[in-house]
Amino acid sequence: MSAEGSEIYGPAPSTAADREPTPAPAWVYLLRCPDGSLYGGWTNDLAHRLKAHRSGKGGAKYTKSHGRDAVRLAYAEKCADKSAALKREAALKKLPKAEKEALAEKWAADNKITLRMATPDDAAAVCALYNWYVRHGVQTFQYTPSTVEEYRENIAHTLQNAPFLLAESADGRLQGFACAHLWHEREAYAWDVETTAYCAPDCIGQGVGGRLYRALITLLKKQGYYNAFALVTGSNRQSNNFHKALGFTKMGIEKRTGYKFGQWLDLDYWVLPLQDGEGEPQPVRKQLTAEEIAEALK
Ligand SMILES: CC(C)(COP(=O)(O)OP(=O)(O)OC[C@H]1O[C@@H](n2cnc3c(N)ncnc32)[C@H](O)[C@@H]1OP(=O)(O)O)[C@@H](O)C(=O)NCCC(=O)NCCS
């Protein structure tokens, strides 16, 4: 993208060539059924595939007759592409049960996450995760990667009003973050926030975003916020399904509102009421106690 003349004209439209290449996502996975058996498969959308198994629609005969909505993800392994995933799936299915169990046990240990509140010192890790989406996707309308210093300020500013949560694996890898910003600055909007979440690309569809968002929503309710809004790119099926699953209601679509990587994008508006009633609200509690936070992050 050319920066020539940008002081006069603003940003040049980003072209399809500006998108950094993303390896085709493909996964092999094992699902644990309630009778203890393991079912193996491959997919290019882990969360979508899990939903299909659990709903019994478009999943597999085996999971439909072995617990359906009670099946749980027991193992996930990222593969370079579809053909690698198909080969790996065939190999996985031939493994003796003990070896599948060993894979599942290690996966569970490696992916045990803990949630904590971010500090400005987490800026480098959060910024690296977020910038992956700036460079590769249309989940964010941002063209230019953020700097660590901008993220330092962003985290510090966010924490003045609302939580900024991190999910980390046992070895300290950042698996995702979720945060809330004031929806608008004017006083009458003081009870409204905009929420968002980003998971590391290889952690998608494994429950990380759900844990982060549920904790975030619990904390926002405790603070006394009334509405959580989320703005989701229309073509971002993952995040639209995610917000629906988390109880948000779609309230509208802003058509053709963003332009990135050579395409116009819609923006879907989602809302989740956080309190009942129409009476006069209490002022929002900007800071919760350490006990309240620990309870929500358990
Ligand atoms: C959107 C995002 C944060 C969701 O987090 P996640 O860890 O992938 O989602 P989870 O596995 O925790 O799923 C939570 C719920 O959403 C549902 N869900 C998530 N992705 C889904 C999909 N593609 N299809 C259907 N349902 C889906 C799950 O079924 C689950 O429902 P349940 O709690 O009833 O079982 C994550 O996918 C992500 O970071 N995506 C890329 C960045 C992005 O789009 N961020 C949002 C910007 S608005």
Side-chain angles (χ1 to χ4, degrees), residues 44 60 63 110 116 123 148 152 177 196 203-205 209-210 219 231 241 264 288:
N44 50 20
T63 48
D110 289 347
R116 71 173 171 86
V148 174
R152 261 190 168 278
F177 70 87
T196 192
C203 296
I204 284 187
L219 290 167
L231 304 181
N241 284 331
W264 279 106
L288 295 171

Side-chain angles (χ1 to χ4, degrees), residues 45-52 54 69 72-73 129-130 132-133 138-140 175-178 194-201 203-214 230-233 236-246 267-268 270:
D45 185 337
L46 203 47
H48 193 68
R49 190 76 191 124
L50 270 178
K51 195 118 191 155
R54 289 196 187 134
D69 52 355
R72 295 280 169 266
L73 186 65
L129 194 164
Y130 177 71
W132 192 91
Y133 291 99
V138 294
Q139 295 90 343
T140 162
Q175 301 218 350
F177 70 87
E194 180 187 342
T195 54
T196 192
Y198 283 83
C199 295
C203 296
I204 284 187
Q206 297 168 42
V208 176
R211 272 201 61 195
L212 280 164
Y213 238 46
R214 287 192 176 96
L231 304 181
V232 180
T233 310
N236 187 351
R237 189 180 65 157
Q238 186 112 44
S239 183
N240 279 301
N241 284 331
F242 171 77
H243 282 90
K244 190 171 175 198
L246 271 285
L267 198 60
D268 292 0
W270 292 85

Side-chain angles (χ1 to χ4, degrees), residues 32-61:
R32 170 84 60 198
C33 301
D35 64 0
S37 61
L38 288 167
Y39 170 86
W42 90 274
T43 178
N44 50 20
D45 185 337
L46 203 47
H48 193 68
R49 190 76 191 124
L50 270 178
K51 195 118 191 155
H53 279 293
R54 289 196 187 134
S55 67
K57 288 182 201 141
K61 270 192 195 151

Side-chain angles (χ1 to χ4, degrees), residues 5-294:
S6 60
E7 299 82 6
I8 306 167
Y9 296 111
S14 85
T15 68
D18 292 324
R19 183 200 283 261
E20 289 185 13
T22 313
W27 298 85
V28 287
Y29 60 89
L30 291 172
L31 297 180
R32 170 84 60 198
C33 301
D35 64 0
S37 61
L38 288 167
Y39 170 86
W42 90 274
T43 178
N44 50 20
D45 185 337
L46 203 47
H48 193 68
R49 190 76 191 124
L50 270 178
K51 195 118 191 155
H53 279 293
R54 289 196 187 134
S55 67
K57 288 182 201 141
K61 270 192 195 151
Y62 188 87
T63 48
K64 199 170 177 179
S65 60
H66 285 73
R68 229 187 67 177
D69 52 355
V71 300
R72 295 280 169 266
L73 186 65
Y75 179 72
E77 181 184 319
K78 200 167 182 184
C79 302
D81 53 26
K82 179 179 171 183
S83 110
L86 284 169
K87 271 190 208 138
R88 183 66 182 133
E89 181 198 16
L92 204 59
K93 284 186 165 164
K94 282 190 199 136
L95 286 181
K97 177 98 172 19
E99 284 182 42
K100 287 186 196 164
E101 290 293 351
L103 281 179
E105 195 178 327
K106 181 162 183 334
W107 183 83
D110 289 347
N111 289 283
K112 194 169 181 319
I113 57 162
T114 47
L115 304 190
R116 71 173 171 86
M117 200 66 83
T119 75
D121 288 343
D122 294 306
V126 176
C127 182
L129 194 164
Y130 177 71
N131 281 343
W132 192 91
Y133 291 99
V134 175
R135 293 189 174 102
H136 293 91
V138 294
Q139 295 90 343
T140 162
F141 281 8
Q142 194 171 322
Y143 286 3
T144 312
S146 294
T147 65
V148 174
E149 204 38 55
E150 280 163 0
Y151 249 94
R152 261 190 168 278
E153 282 167 27
N154 179 355
I155 294 172
H157 181 69
T158 301
L159 290 171
Q160 288 171 13
N161 296 299
F164 199 121
L165 300 179
L166 306 184
E168 288 176 330
S169 57
D171 61 5
R173 270 176 304 129
L174 181 65
Q175 301 218 350
F177 70 87
C179 55
H181 300 96
L182 290 184
W183 175 240
H184 290 297
E185 291 295 331
R186 294 208 173 105
E187 291 93 330
Y189 289 115
W191 292 269
D192 298 332
V193 283
E194 180 187 342
T195 54
T196 192
Y198 283 83
C199 295
D202 57 352
C203 296
I204 284 187
Q206 297 168 42
V208 176
R211 272 201 61 195
L212 280 164
Y213 238 46
R214 287 192 176 96
L216 181 68
I217 290 166
T218 301
L219 290 167
L220 292 169
K221 284 183 179 174
K222 277 185 198 294
Q223 286 187 274
Y225 283 107
Y226 266 63
N227 298 296
F229 295 95
L231 304 181
V232 180
T233 310
S235 57
N236 187 351
R237 189 180 65 157
Q238 186 112 44
S239 183
N240 279 301
N241 284 331
F242 171 77
H243 282 90
K244 190 171 175 198
L246 271 285
F248 284 68
T249 303
K250 187 145 108 175
M251 57 181 195
I253 302 174
E254 211 176 305
K255 299 295 281 180
R256 206 200 54 182
T257 194
Y259 188 87
K260 188 176 179 188
F261 295 147
Q263 58 186 308
W264 279 106
L265 302 161
D266 296 345
L267 198 60
D268 292 0
Y269 278 62
W270 292 85
V271 64
L272 177 72
L274 301 169
Q275 316 283 340
D276 295 326
E278 300 279 332
E280 185 179 304
Q282 294 291 314
V284 165
R285 292 168 61 206
K286 297 284 177 169
Q287 300 300 327
L288 295 171
T289 65
E291 290 73 28
E292 286 172 311
I293 295 170

